[in-house]
Amino acid sequence: CGKGTTRIFNLSSMYLDAGSYCMKLCKPEQALDYIEKSANILVQTQMQYSQNGIYTMTTYAKLLYQQRKFPEAARIFTSCIGITDKVYESDTLNKGYLLQNLAAVHASMRNAKAALMYYAQAENIFRKFLEEEHPDLLICKEHQENVIGIDGQMVDLLGENNA
């Protein structure tokens, strides 16, 4: 990376950090503003294709999700899946987590058919990389089994460490 590229990442990271800090202060609107700026910098410079870019975009999608802005969150998770398919192998563990989060968004929108489809895709990928008793695989299967009975309640997304 050249110095310009590093500076762009640093600026994007500063906005991401500021957004995370605002979330800890229970200021979700300010957090959304900062993380949106971070994501926009990456998109405008075509740097969303990096691992850091995907992390920033998924952080933004999770924040939108927490604020019940489901269509926007779904759009960003879908975009990240597309980026993962273009840049990396089509079936990566990261893609599995992205699919699981997209499924949770669709479940929260009461779109059971799409949620089940994405949970099944995530589960298939998880089976390639995780042991049968791995907590993330078990959570995916549990959410998949419960999606039919969801009554518009939000489904938990996977933790920060995962996509």
Side-chain angles (χ1 to χ4, degrees):
C1 288
K3 284 188 177 186
T5 303
T6 302
R7 288 187 182 129
I8 290 168
F9 266 132
N10 287 342
L11 180 60
S12 176
S13 294
M14 285 174 38
Y15 279 128
L16 182 62
D17 290 344
S20 297
Y21 182 71
C22 286
M23 278 305 292
K24 289 177 181 170
L25 294 176
C26 297
K27 296 181 178 183
E29 287 303 318
Q30 281 183 296
L32 183 61
D33 183 50
Y34 281 121
I35 295 174
E36 184 175 22
K37 286 178 182 177
S38 177
N40 285 337
I41 288 169
L42 295 173
V43 170
Q44 290 171 4
T45 58
Q46 296 292 305
M47 295 175 75
Q48 76 272 24
Y49 296 103
S50 68
Q51 281 291 347
N52 288 337
I54 292 173
Y55 174 78
T56 298
M57 301 299 284
T58 57
T59 300
Y60 181 39
K62 288 176 183 181
L63 185 56
L64 288 167
Y65 179 81
Q66 290 169 357
Q67 294 185 349
R68 303 185 72 80
K69 296 179 180 181
F70 301 135
E72 295 95 333
R75 181 181 56 78
I76 292 172
F77 280 129
T78 301
S79 175
C80 289
I81 291 166
I83 290 169
T84 300
D85 283 342
K86 284 181 189 174
V87 177
Y88 307 102
E89 299 173 32
S90 62
D91 282 347
T92 62
L93 190 55
N94 192 40
K95 181 179 177 182
Y97 290 117
L98 289 167
L99 285 163
Q100 183 167 1
N101 286 338
L102 182 58
V105 172
H106 279 283
S108 296
M109 290 190 300
R110 295 183 178 181
N111 187 350
K113 185 175 181 180
L116 288 171
M117 177 185 73
Y118 292 124
Y119 277 131
Q121 290 177 20
E123 182 182 345
N124 287 336
I125 291 173
F126 287 161
R127 287 183 183 284
K128 294 177 183 179
F129 296 98
L130 304 175
E131 294 179 17
E132 195 62 34
E133 296 301 316
H134 191 282
D136 292 344
L137 178 57
L138 296 175
I139 289 169
C140 183
K141 288 169 27 176
E142 178 183 334
H143 285 178
Q144 190 174 1
E145 291 167 4
N146 295 332
V147 78
I148 300 297
I150 290 175
D151 190 15
Q153 64 214 15
M154 288 179 60
V155 176
D156 290 336
L157 297 179
L158 289 175
E160 278 183 42
N161 296 336
N162 301 321

